[in-house]
Amino acid sequence: MAKINLELSIYTFTLNEKFKREDFLNFNEFYRKNFSKNGENPHTIKPEELYKRFVGMILDEFHKKFWLNKEENKGISTTNIDYRHGKSVIEGIINGGNTGYGHQIYDILDNEKTVGEISETQLASLPYYFKMWTPPDSQVGIIMIQCYSIGSIGSILIEFLTSIFAKYGASFRKIIHIPTELRESYIKRSSVKKVTFTSTIENRDSRKKFNRAFEDSEGLRVTISVEGLKKKNIKTFFESFNKKNPIGIDLKELGIENEDDYETKFYYEDEDGRKAHAKIKDKFEIRPTIVLPIEVSNENKTPNLEEIIKFTDMLLEKVKTEINY
C-alpha cells in the first residue's frame, strides 16, 4: 500500500474592514463588535463567552449538513470543534472530502463486482484537524490545517472562513508561513532537481523564426527545462550557479537577450521525495511540505486529536515568535 503521510499547512492571516484595505481589525474588536448582543456592554463581556458564541456560529453555519464549495465537488462539516479562550485557540476535527458523481466502489481484489456506489448527493469523507489562533491584542492570526498526502480540505476550509468573515463585514487575507527551522532543515537535506527558464515571445518575427506555426500566437510562452542535474546540496549548487547570466547561450532570435526577458525557477527535492520550488529572487524562500511525525496519527493514519494538539501547540509558539508576537 502507498505510504500516507499527515501533512500541515500554516497561514498567517489578517482581517480588514470591507472596502478598507489598510484598516486592519484586531480580533478583540472583531469579536466584541459582532458577537455582543443587544443591550449588552461589549466591553464587559468575558472573552470566554465571545469565543463560545463565535464557535456556535460556525457550527450553526453547517445546519447539520455539509457545506459545499462553489463547484459543489467537495464538502466539509463538523460537530467537533472547541475553544481554549485562555490560549486564544479554536480547534477540532472537520470531516471533509469529495462528492461522488456515480463513483463505483470495488474491493481491491475483485474488479468485476461492485460493492456500492457514491452518488452525487454523497461524499467520501476523512477527518482533518485544524487550529486557529486569534489573539485579542493582535491584528495577525494563525491558521493550521492538517491534510493527507492523498488529499486536502485546505482550499474549501479557507473558502468557508472567507465567507464567514465576509458576513461580518471583514475581508480575510492569508499568507503561507513555513517555520524557519523546517525551511532550513529542508534546504540542508535537499538538492536542485530542475531549473526552468520561461519567457513570453512578444515579437512576431521571433515567433516565426522559432516555428512558423507559432507566428500568430500572441503571448506565446516558451520554457527551457534543464533536468538530470548531478545531485548537490542546494547551497553548494548556488555557489557555482551564474545568477547574473543564468542562460549563457545566445537566444536573441527568440527575443531573449537579458535576464529580465525570462523567469528562472528552481525545483528542489529531498531524500523522501518532498518537493518545493522558488523563483531566482527568493531561491531560499521555499515552501516545502510540512510532514507531521507519525506519533500524531492513529493506527488508521487519521489524526490523533490529543497528540496533534500537543504538537501544534509547540509549533504555534515557534510561529508566534517568528511573527514577533
Side-chain angles (χ1 to χ4, degrees), residues 90-109:
I90 297 167
E91 64 195 334
I93 295 293
I94 292 182
N95 294 312
N98 295 330
T99 58
Y101 291 92
H103 287 65
Q104 302 293 315
I105 304 172
Y106 289 85
D107 286 330
I108 292 175
L109 299 179

Side-chain angles (χ1 to χ4, degrees), residues 239-299:
E239 288 174 1
S240 58
F241 185 83
N242 189 339
K243 181 180 177 181
K244 292 183 178 179
N245 188 23
I247 302 180
I249 58 177
D250 188 358
L251 295 175
K252 290 182 181 179
E253 291 200 358
L254 293 182
I256 303 175
E257 299 187 42
N258 56 66
E259 62 177 297
D260 294 328
D261 294 330
Y262 54 86
E263 179 182 82
T264 304
K265 280 188 178 182
F266 304 94
Y267 295 80
Y268 310 127
E269 188 173 322
D270 71 2
E271 65 271 21
D272 296 317
R274 281 170 267 182
K275 300 177 181 180
H277 67 271
K279 297 179 182 179
I280 192 168
K281 65 180 180 180
D282 51 9
K283 57 185 179 293
F284 295 131
E285 294 301 310
I286 55 180
R287 299 169 178 172
T289 303
I290 302 173
V291 177
L292 294 172
I294 193 170
E295 292 78 19
V296 306
S297 61
N298 297 313
E299 288 186 8

Side-chain angles (χ1 to χ4, degrees), residues 16 26 33-34 36 55 77 85 88 98 114 119 142 154 171 202 206 219 249 251 257 263 271 309 311:
N16 301 75
N26 69 42
K33 177 181 177 181
N34 296 294
S36 300
V55 170
S77 191
H85 75 279
S88 303
N98 295 330
T114 63
S119 75
I142 295 170
S171 297
E202 303 288 359
S206 295
I249 58 177
L251 295 175
E257 299 187 42
E263 179 182 82
E271 65 271 21
I309 285 176
F311 180 85

Side-chain angles (χ1 to χ4, degrees), residues 30-31 34-35 49-64 67 78 81 83 90 132 160-161 163-168:
F30 174 79
Y31 285 132
N34 296 294
F35 295 96
E49 181 61 27
L50 293 172
Y51 271 90
K52 179 180 178 181
R53 293 175 187 178
F54 182 72
V55 170
M57 177 273 297
I58 291 176
L59 294 173
D60 288 343
E61 282 292 318
F62 293 110
H63 303 294
K64 298 184 179 180
W67 190 90
T78 184
I81 59 172
Y83 58 91
I90 297 167
M132 182 163 65
F160 172 76
L161 291 173
S163 71
I164 287 292
F165 288 118
K167 284 188 175 184
Y168 295 93

Side-chain angles (χ1 to χ4, degrees), residues 27-293:
F27 295 104
N28 182 57
E29 179 184 0
F30 174 79
Y31 285 132
R32 293 192 182 280
K33 177 181 177 181
N34 296 294
F35 295 96
S36 300
K37 296 180 180 179
N38 289 335
E40 289 181 331
N41 182 341
H43 301 291
T44 60
I45 306 171
K46 293 182 179 179
E48 180 176 5
E49 181 61 27
L50 293 172
Y51 271 90
K52 179 180 178 181
R53 293 175 187 178
F54 182 72
V55 170
M57 177 273 297
I58 291 176
L59 294 173
D60 288 343
E61 282 292 318
F62 293 110
H63 303 294
K64 298 184 179 180
K65 60 183 181 181
F66 280 81
W67 190 90
L68 301 180
N69 60 3
K70 292 178 182 178
E71 294 78 20
E72 297 189 354
N73 58 9
K74 184 170 283 191
I76 55 173
S77 191
T78 184
T79 58
N80 187 20
I81 59 172
D82 208 344
Y83 58 91
R84 289 180 280 157
H85 75 279
K87 296 287 187 180
S88 303
V89 163
I90 297 167
E91 64 195 334
I93 295 293
I94 292 182
N95 294 312
N98 295 330
T99 58
Y101 291 92
H103 287 65
Q104 302 293 315
I105 304 172
Y106 289 85
D107 286 330
I108 292 175
L109 299 179
D110 187 348
N111 68 357
E112 294 184 354
K113 184 179 179 181
T114 63
V115 294
E117 176 182 312
I118 303 176
S119 75
E120 60 185 36
T121 60
Q122 298 174 318
L123 58 78
S125 175
L126 282 170
Y128 295 81
Y129 170 80
F130 93 106
K131 181 193 294 285
M132 182 163 65
W133 176 70
T134 56
D137 57 349
S138 175
Q139 297 174 332
V140 180
I142 295 170
I143 293 178
M144 298 182 179
I145 305 173
Q146 173 260 317
C147 63
Y148 300 86
S149 52
I150 58 171
S152 170
I153 61 163
S155 60
I156 184 174
L157 180 54
I158 293 297
E159 187 179 324
F160 172 76
L161 291 173
T162 300
S163 71
I164 287 292
F165 288 118
K167 284 188 175 184
Y168 295 93
S171 297
F172 173 89
R173 303 181 188 280
K174 64 176 176 60
I175 300 174
I176 294 175
H177 184 90
I178 299 295
T180 302
E181 181 181 333
L182 296 177
R183 178 185 284 116
E184 291 179 348
S185 173
Y186 181 87
I187 289 172
K188 289 178 182 178
R189 295 179 292 102
S190 305
S191 57
V192 180
K193 299 294 289 185
K194 180 172 71 172
V195 182
T196 63
F197 309 95
T198 300
S199 178
T200 300
I201 304 178
E202 303 288 359
N203 186 278
R204 183 186 183 95
D205 288 338
S206 295
R207 294 196 299 267
K208 184 177 180 179
K209 289 176 183 178
F210 187 30
N211 194 306
R212 291 191 63 181
F214 304 153
E215 180 180 358
D216 298 325
S217 300
E218 294 183 9
L220 183 74
R221 289 173 64 82
V222 172
T223 297
I224 300 171
S225 180
V226 182
E227 303 182 46
L229 298 170
K230 182 179 179 180
K231 189 173 183 179
K232 289 183 180 179
N233 171 268
I234 290 175
K235 290 192 173 180
T236 302
F237 174 87
F238 282 108
E239 288 174 1
S240 58
F241 185 83
N242 189 339
K243 181 180 177 181
K244 292 183 178 179
N245 188 23
I247 302 180
I249 58 177
D250 188 358
L251 295 175
K252 290 182 181 179
E253 291 200 358
L254 293 182
I256 303 175
E257 299 187 42
N258 56 66
E259 62 177 297
D260 294 328
D261 294 330
Y262 54 86
E263 179 182 82
T264 304
K265 280 188 178 182
F266 304 94
Y267 295 80
Y268 310 127
E269 188 173 322
D270 71 2
E271 65 271 21
D272 296 317
R274 281 170 267 182
K275 300 177 181 180
H277 67 271
K279 297 179 182 179
I280 192 168
K281 65 180 180 180
D282 51 9
K283 57 185 179 293
F284 295 131
E285 294 301 310
I286 55 180
R287 299 169 178 172
T289 303
I290 302 173
V291 177
L292 294 172

Side-chain angles (χ1 to χ4, degrees), residues 2-17:
K3 183 179 179 181
I4 299 175
N5 294 318
L6 297 191
E7 300 174 354
L8 192 71
S9 296
I10 303 175
Y11 304 91
T12 58
F13 73 98
T14 56
L15 300 179
N16 301 75
E17 282 202 49

